[in-house]
Amino acid sequence: MSSSINRLFGVAKKTVLITGGSRGIGKMLATGYVNAGARVIISSRSEDALLETVESIKSTTENLNPELFHIASNVASREGCEQLAEDVKEFLPDNRLDVLLNNAGNAWGEPLDRTSGKMNWGWDRVLDLNLKGVFYLTRACLPYMKRESLAEDPSRIINIGSVVGMIPQSAPTHAYDVSKAGVHHLTKKLSHDLAPHNITVNALAPGFVPSKMSEGLSAYASFEEIAKNTPMGRLGDEDDMVGCAIYLSSRASSWVTGVVVNVDGGAVGGMQIPLASDDLE
């Protein structure tokens, strides 16, 4: 990589905290940052899952000296977020966190006419982790991220939203879709609050990417059907997620804040309003 490109897009030696980093998009992102030479800390609830992911990434990474650490945590509560912010201290050189990636999330849904008795539980479970956890952990990590000088490369907060936070999907995932819309709006709100501290806040809104969570949509459509209905004709992959996240963490995006980036194969931006019944086929 040329020196000018490396200066703009390099993230080597940056310290990155990724929640929900043991699987799915979180694991993809952790792999990408480690390959790019960043110092990476991943968290999730399961110690065993974290150890498995660390071993998997270290055994396959292109980085000859990977710095990859893990912390078992539960960011679905304010207390859990504050505990993670305390625990991460030992992995922060000079108490400095360069990138916070709020990725942890879960999904729940059921048809409106179902009376399972789980509705209160489902909404609380999703909003506690997907939305409130983003706010509480961001707030708890600010002491490590505020910069004295605007001349420094900014700290970065990247929130993982979703295209379904922009356009609801045809599945009864009301709580999930609403939580991601909230993440997008919280991103914009925080971007104004934190700009004076030289912190950018942006969101990455993935389209449909194969993962354990997205497998839950199989009751409504197959991955093949979803890919067919995506303008670019395929599902997202690791390179798609990592490429956007690296950009949002690099010097190249240092004047970009309050933005929600769709990484979705055109699922949102490439939509068209059908004008005739044939367009619906």
Side-chain angles (χ1 to χ4, degrees):
M1 185 183 291
S2 71
S3 58
S4 60
I5 295 299
N6 189 59
R7 182 182 68 83
L8 281 175
F9 293 99
V11 295
K13 302 304 179 184
K14 287 196 172 188
T15 302
V16 182
L17 172 61
I18 304 172
T19 64
S22 66
R23 67 184 189 188
I25 290 176
K27 182 179 178 181
M28 296 177 192
L29 295 170
T31 302
Y33 279 102
V34 169
N35 286 340
R39 178 184 177 89
V40 179
I41 306 109
I42 59 173
S43 77
S44 80
R45 289 179 300 170
S46 170
E47 176 81 15
D48 290 342
L50 287 165
L51 288 170
E52 182 178 337
T53 296
V54 168
E55 181 179 352
S56 172
I57 293 175
K58 284 188 172 181
S59 66
T60 58
T61 181
E62 305 159 6
N63 187 340
L64 297 179
N65 297 294
E67 291 188 278
L68 177 59
F69 311 95
H70 71 279
I71 303 171
S73 66
N74 184 350
V75 292
S77 70
R78 179 174 177 178
E79 294 76 16
C81 290
E82 291 174 350
Q83 186 62 56
L84 175 57
E86 180 66 27
D87 292 342
V88 80
K89 273 185 183 180
E90 67 174 291
F91 302 110
L92 303 181
D94 301 319
N95 280 341
R96 182 186 179 105
L97 178 62
D98 299 299
V99 182
L100 169 61
L101 229 154
N102 287 305
N103 168 74
N106 57 33
W108 169 86
E110 65 178 18
L112 289 174
D113 58 358
R114 183 179 295 174
T115 55
S116 68
K118 292 185 176 180
M119 192 167 292
N120 285 357
W121 169 85
W123 273 88
D124 289 346
R125 176 174 178 266
V126 170
L127 293 181
D128 283 350
L129 180 60
N130 294 14
L131 184 54
K132 292 161 69 176
V134 172
F135 176 79
Y136 290 136
L137 185 60
T138 295
R139 185 174 180 275
C141 287
L142 289 180
Y144 312 134
M145 305 191 77
K146 292 179 179 180
R147 301 292 176 255
E148 294 294 331
S149 170
L150 295 180
E152 290 187 77
D153 188 38
S155 301
R156 317 304 173 98
I157 296 170
I158 304 171
N159 300 323
I160 301 302
S162 172
V163 291
V164 303
M166 300 174 178
I167 300 174
Q169 61 188 341
S170 57
T173 51
H174 302 83
Y176 182 80
D177 295 14
V178 167
S179 75
K180 292 303 183 179
V183 166
H184 298 165
H185 202 71
L186 180 61
T187 296
K188 296 177 181 181
K189 184 77 173 173
L190 289 172
S191 71
H192 178 84
D193 295 336
L194 300 182
H197 301 289
N198 205 17
I199 302 172
T200 70
V201 189
N202 294 291
L204 191 168
F208 295 97
V209 179
S211 69
K212 183 174 181 179
M213 182 182 294
S214 59
E215 285 174 1
L217 295 173
S218 61
Y220 309 101
S222 67
F223 281 153
E224 290 76 15
E225 290 172 310
I226 294 172
K228 183 179 178 181
N229 288 326
T230 300
M232 293 195 73
R234 68 173 178 86
L235 301 178
D237 61 23
E238 182 174 309
D239 286 348
D240 300 319
M241 300 300 105
V242 171
C244 182
I246 293 291
Y247 164 69
L248 292 175
S249 304
S250 70
R251 177 69 181 82
S253 70
S254 61
W255 210 44
V256 176
T257 195
V259 172
V260 179
V261 183
N262 305 338
V263 186
D264 64 356
V268 171
M271 281 192 61
Q272 290 187 330
I273 299 172
L275 300 180
S277 57
D278 289 346
D279 294 333
L280 297 174
E281 297 179 356

